[in-house]
Amino acid sequence: MSSKMIAVGDNVVDCYLDEGVYYPGGNAVNVAVNCRRDGIDDVAYIGMFGNDEKAEHLKWALAQEHVSFERSRTMYAPSGSPGVRLVDGDRRFVSGPKDTAQHIARIRLTPEDLAYIGSYGLCHTSCFSSIEYELPEMARVCQVSFDFSERTDPAYLERVCPHLTYAFFSGSHLTQQELDALIDRCHSLGTPVVGVTLGSRGALFSEKGVRYHQGIKPVEAIDTMGAGDSFIAGFLTRRILGDGMEQALDFAAGAAANTCKIHGSFGYPHPL
């Protein structure tokens, strides 16, 4: 049986202002591409593209990676283009334009979309994708993976967690007590697997209350862009392929480390 997954949601180009180039990115795109690279046979993406050169570059990069985007939409608007600068050796986002396809349009999933998504078994999306209102229907047809980034407000957790199989957070700023409370809250709302990446402290995951800690894999990093998305993709890939938590986390840590050795989330620079 072939392995499959789909990502639905955001696409952007990360504009490296000091270097004068942009790279394809966005959480949903990054996870899709890295799942394909990590060993998933059939990977698809549904998103809202702009109608500019940046969108064409995004689609070209997805085609190079054999990620289907046939059910995506096109909006007559610029592509999302967050700025990026190097600050003390780390990539930092700076404000970009707010009138882009990612800001002014929302995907409405049709019954045909849902049937297509359901055929993939697992769908990944995120808090950057403005698709929370579709989660109940998505969860009806497949497992759902969701990246919260740093968003942990109680009302948002209550809205999203009941529909998830996998919840991911960025939590390097959280104390151990806060981490435990967050994980327990997500479990109580119905999410079986909860993971928090912790920067240099590695990652803390929990499956139905059983905790797992994964350390980092040391590497000479040249660009940390997309490392967290690569961790998610590596973890999901190994779970889809049947691995347990410990094996999946070890693979994910290696995947994140490898991403730090390239420029951009997954390469393909284009002049600004």
Side-chain angles (χ1 to χ4, degrees):
M1 180 183 297
S2 66
S3 56
K4 304 173 72 171
M5 71 82 63
I6 187 169
V8 179
D10 58 318
N11 66 79
V12 301
V13 295
D14 296 314
C15 299
Y16 284 50
L17 303 176
D18 298 321
E19 292 89 342
V21 297
Y22 63 78
Y23 293 87
N27 175 266
V29 164
N30 293 342
V31 171
V33 167
N34 280 288
C35 280
R36 182 74 175 87
R37 288 183 173 184
D38 289 341
I40 299 299
D41 297 324
D42 186 352
V43 177
Y45 166 74
I46 297 176
M48 183 73 71
F49 289 109
N51 69 324
D52 53 11
E53 182 183 40
K54 293 174 179 176
E56 293 307 309
H57 185 64
L58 272 161
K59 290 185 276 190
W60 175 82
L62 287 170
Q64 304 312 298
E65 296 291 330
H66 306 286
V67 174
S68 170
F69 51 89
E70 62 182 320
R71 295 197 70 87
S72 293
R73 283 68 152 158
T74 297
M75 177 76 183
Y76 284 89
S79 297
S81 304
V84 182
R85 291 195 184 278
L86 186 64
V87 179
D88 296 328
D90 194 20
R91 297 289 177 184
R92 303 284 179 85
F93 285 105
V94 298
S95 182
K98 304 298 184 186
D99 60 347
T100 74
Q102 290 300 310
H103 290 89
I104 63 178
R106 303 288 182 266
I107 291 177
R108 178 74 174 91
L109 297 177
T110 66
E112 292 78 13
D113 291 328
L114 288 165
Y116 180 77
I117 290 167
S119 73
Y120 280 85
L122 183 143
C123 176
H124 176 79
T125 189
S126 76
C127 64
F128 306 112
S129 299
S130 301
I131 203 166
E132 292 84 358
Y133 56 92
E134 297 281 8
L135 290 175
E137 287 300 302
M138 292 165 68
R140 184 178 59 79
V141 300
C142 67
Q143 292 186 340
V144 179
S145 161
F146 194 93
D147 185 1
F148 288 83
S149 186
E150 297 184 354
R151 188 161 184 185
T152 60
D153 49 291
Y156 194 65
L157 296 179
E158 289 175 11
R159 181 182 183 189
V160 175
C161 283
H163 311 296
L164 308 182
T165 299
Y166 300 99
F168 300 97
F169 296 86
S170 299
S172 59
H173 58 293
L174 299 177
T175 67
Q176 187 61 49
Q177 183 177 8
E178 289 169 333
L179 288 169
D180 287 333
L182 173 61
I183 290 171
D184 290 342
R185 182 59 177 149
C186 292
H187 283 326
S188 74
L189 290 168
T191 306
V193 179
V194 184
V196 189
T197 55
L198 304 171
S200 62
R201 291 186 287 154
L204 178 64
F205 272 61
S206 178
E207 183 173 30
K208 298 178 180 177
V210 179
R211 300 291 202 267
Y212 300 84
H213 181 264
Q214 174 63 47
I216 64 169
K217 305 249 180 180
V219 67
E220 291 235 10
I222 63 172
D223 188 353
T224 58
M225 179 69 75
D229 298 340
S230 292
F231 191 102
I232 291 171
F235 178 82
L236 291 175
T237 295
R238 297 316 306 177
R239 293 289 283 183
I240 291 168
L241 296 177
D243 281 359
M245 290 290 290
E246 292 177 346
Q247 296 90 343
L249 286 167
D250 182 72
F251 184 90
N258 286 335
T259 294
C260 293
K261 296 190 284 187
I262 66 169
H263 292 289
S265 293
F266 56 93
Y268 300 110
H270 188 289
L272 276 172

